[in-house]
Amino acid sequence: MRSNTLKTLLLGAAFVGAGAVAASAGTLDEVKAKGFVQCGVNGAGLAGFGAPDDAGNWTGLDVDACRAVAAAVFGDPSKVKFTGLSAKERFTALQSKEIDMLARNSTNTMSRDTQLGITFTGTNYYDGQGFMVKKALGVSSAKDLNGASVCVQSGTTTELNLADYFKSNGMTFNAVVFEKQEEADAAYDAGRCDAYTTDASGLYSIRLKMTNPDDSIVLPEIISKEPLGPAVRQGDDQWESIVRWTHYAMLIAEEFGVTQANVDEMKKSENPEVQRLLGVGEGVDFGTPIGLNKDWAYNVIKGVGNYGESFERNVGEGSPLKIARGLNALWSKGGLQYAPPIR
Amino acid sequence: MTLRDKTADETPRSWLRAVLYDATIRGWVFQGLVLLFIILFALWVIHNTAANLRAANIPFGFDFLNMRAGFDISQKPIDYTLDSSHAQAFKVGLLNTIIVSVLGIILATIIGFIVGISRLSSNWLLARAATVYVETLRNIPLLLQLLFWYKAVLSVLPGPRQGLMLPFSINLSNRGLTMPRPIVGEGFGLVMWALLVAVVAAWALARWARRRQAATGQSFPVIRASLGIVIGLPLVVFLILGAPLTFELPELKGFNFVGGMVVHPELTAMLLGISLYTATFIAETVRAGILAVSSGQSEAAFSLGLRPSQTMRLIVVPQAMRVIIPPLTSQYLNLTKNSSLALAIGYPDLVAVFAGSTLNITGHAIEVIAITMAVYLALSLITAALMNWFNARVALVER
């Protein structure tokens, strides 16, 4: 059997052999005891979200989500270890406690949120599913794809959306399903399929990996809602709050112009919102109630920057992907990223 | 209960002693204790798993099999739509596994026997070529070979519009080998019955020819005659009925061929990889089996005037089979299990469909993996049972 199946099996075996433990056991205490956050990220390497760079350091929007949590807990964004996971392994790895949090461009859906024993803590990237085709086919819309062969990765919401889209438009298709993203990429590149489908953000990153990136175009249609976000195990409210509010802290920092560079200066700010965020002032302490220090959010900004900085660095203008903010702009700028206030 | 010294001493104390020291009773007691221990262990594992899953808020059960699957499978031997259940997806995956295993076993056996015999050939070139083939392919991991074949198959073949047109509307492209699909008309069942009758007749003929040869020494061209019966009889019936068979021709519409039958490149790559790999092991088994037959046997056959091909077919191979079959069974089992590597190249076998898509969509990892393991165990046990039956038939009967 393939190593992946074996891995799933071993993860399953963890449920069989492990002594019965209460699910509410404090993940934060365990993380503090071992001294690092174990974070599940994209094992195949999805540029912009989770992939090792030339020097072997993990970078990406999801990787930053992990580092931010490490910074909130330890005051040090480097106290994190990464586990590369396939789409198939990711939820089992979280359920079986192999990882403390999952940040692997995973779509939040009702069944995943309610039936898998996991909870999504927010949305760090609003995505949608799209198609990429070879230019030579002369196709300009997804509606022209009737009868096409489509390469897709198994075990993803993508696989299901694809079927729904063709069915609701009265079109037929032939899915060629691969377990790993690399294998699906290679098959599309070799001409096995007419079209390739995954989240739009992924399409741009995968197109760059093709032998001739210019031979492929991304079609304009977005056929689904794909809110990607980190997830934790169900039943540990404290840990869930930490991961959720770490993301909010990054959004609030962007909203009030707090950046990695000026965060020390901003500690002197008179703005009460900024003071509450950075834990400045007498009796201003939002960290202790969730088991952290009062300057937890300061550490997050100092360690990885605000959401906007992380976005631009990984997937925006500062990256090869050059994705526009679009839905991921702050609510005040016409996007969907909105954080409840710290107070 | 055997109380041997009951008559010697009637006191209750010595009765107890007798029970304690009785080998039979003691045996049963310990066997019982071990069995009890195993049962308790199994119960503990089940209970503990259930408790852990409950504690982690993960539902357990097999109801998910009736839920709508909602994903597509590229190779569907039976009816399967997006609205089918996960149970139906499971059947499709299982059938695909069986298809690739059975075809793989047949191909690997044919190639293996040819190569194994070739390695012993007196033709230098043939023997060396077979050696090179065996030593190369059996020493490269199967997964790499599958990826190689998939890549090779895809990169050699042109796109569907530039596909290679072969006779009878057969088209070869990187979307697969597209062929006309036979559609049986009314009365075609009679042709199948004719085929059955012909097979039985051919079997009876072979039996009669063997008896006659044993009795009189006269040989009969059994193979040619059987072929004639098996092909001829159904053909005659078919023509009398007015050829009740039409073909649905594949048509190039839009991106791909519509209609007809198609052999996907994933299946082709799987069959190439898995049968060429397993055939190397079978070839070695065959060579070992033939070498195990004493050379005196062939010498005796030659001195009786049999030709080399006859010697091989009538004297050596039947004796070699006794040595060949047990390890051959292992190779068949390996091949079936190795077919689970299919998920690497997108062939929709049981592991890819059921332990892949279904597992991820439903999240029932433990149930899905348990079912999958049970299926592979069952397939292997069935294969082993069939081969053991065959082995018992060809085993040497001592007289």
Side-chain angles (χ1 to χ4, degrees), chain B residues 301-319:
Chain B
F302 289 142
S303 58
L304 282 175
L306 292 182
R307 286 191 302 272
S309 66
Q310 282 177 318
T311 309
M312 192 52 107
R313 192 161 51 85
L314 300 172
I315 309 291
V316 179
V317 169
Q319 297 187 73

Side-chain angles (χ1 to χ4, degrees), chain A residues 14-323:
Chain A
F15 286 107
V16 179
V21 280
S24 56
T27 308
L28 178 65
D29 295 336
E30 288 170 22
V31 165
K32 278 182 173 167
K34 66 185 175 190
F36 57 88
V37 177
Q38 189 78 48
C39 193
V41 292
N42 195 318
L46 182 65
F49 288 83
D53 65 9
D54 300 339
N57 299 313
W58 285 89
T59 55
L61 200 64
D62 285 334
V63 168
D64 278 357
C66 303
R67 293 197 195 279
V69 171
V73 175
F74 297 108
D76 181 355
S78 67
K79 290 201 168 164
V80 56
K81 288 192 181 173
F82 296 101
T83 305
L85 296 168
S86 74
K88 198 171 144 179
E89 298 157 355
R90 54 187 166 178
F91 301 122
T92 319
L94 184 61
Q95 291 165 345
S96 63
K97 293 194 156 194
E98 189 180 297
I99 54 175
D100 301 313
M101 63 177 283
L102 177 75
R104 192 207 168 279
N105 50 291
S106 303
T107 306
N108 181 352
T109 68
M110 180 166 173
S111 62
R112 286 175 176 178
D113 202 36
T114 57
Q115 295 171 21
L116 295 182
I118 66 169
T119 301
F120 283 87
T121 62
T123 303
N124 67 345
Y125 191 93
Y126 287 97
D127 211 338
Q129 184 176 338
F131 291 96
M132 172 165 72
V133 295
K134 292 267 160 71
K135 267 183 193 163
L137 289 176
V139 170
S140 59
S141 158
K143 296 249 160 53
D144 300 337
L145 286 175
N146 193 8
S149 298
V150 186
C151 281
V152 62
Q153 194 190 355
S154 84
T156 53
T157 45
T158 315
E159 193 184 358
L160 299 172
N161 293 332
L162 170 70
D164 287 351
Y165 180 76
F166 276 81
K167 194 178 177 209
S168 59
N169 283 295
M171 305 193 294
T172 59
F173 72 110
N174 193 312
V176 187
V177 185
F178 294 87
E179 197 216 358
K180 303 218 162 200
Q181 181 199 310
E182 309 92 290
E183 290 153 0
D185 299 351
Y188 169 77
D189 206 13
R192 172 64 181 94
C193 307
D194 301 302
Y196 184 102
T197 184
T198 188
D199 296 344
S201 58
L203 287 179
Y204 288 100
S205 134
I206 289 159
R207 193 175 77 102
L208 292 180
K209 289 203 282 188
M210 295 291 124
T211 325
N212 296 310
D214 291 337
D215 287 355
S216 293
I217 53 162
V218 175
L219 297 178
E221 281 88 351
I222 296 294
I223 65 164
S224 69
K225 291 187 290 185
E226 306 287 335
L228 311 181
V232 296
R233 275 183 293 281
Q234 238 173 47
D236 187 348
D237 297 347
Q238 184 190 40
W239 184 247
E240 186 189 324
S241 299
I242 291 171
V243 178
R244 167 172 296 132
W245 281 92
T246 301
H247 176 57
Y248 288 158
M250 290 171 74
L251 289 178
I252 295 169
E254 187 188 0
E255 198 174 337
F256 292 98
V258 184
T259 64
Q260 199 167 10
N262 72 5
V263 64
D264 287 304
E265 234 169 277
M266 286 304 247
K267 269 193 155 178
K268 298 183 202 109
S269 167
E270 294 298 318
N271 186 335
E273 298 262 19
V274 176
Q275 288 181 340
R276 283 196 295 272
L277 173 71
L278 300 178
V280 177
E282 204 53 38
V284 177
D285 183 355
F286 291 90
T288 310
I290 53 171
L292 304 175
N293 299 326
K294 65 183 279 186
D295 58 352
W296 63 281
Y298 164 83
N299 289 329
V300 170
I301 316 302
K302 186 77 186 162
V304 299
N306 66 36
Y307 179 75
E309 289 178 286
S310 175
F311 190 97
E312 294 305 338
R313 183 170 65 225
N314 292 306
V315 296
E317 285 304 318
S319 74
L321 296 176
K322 307 214 182 302
I323 299 175

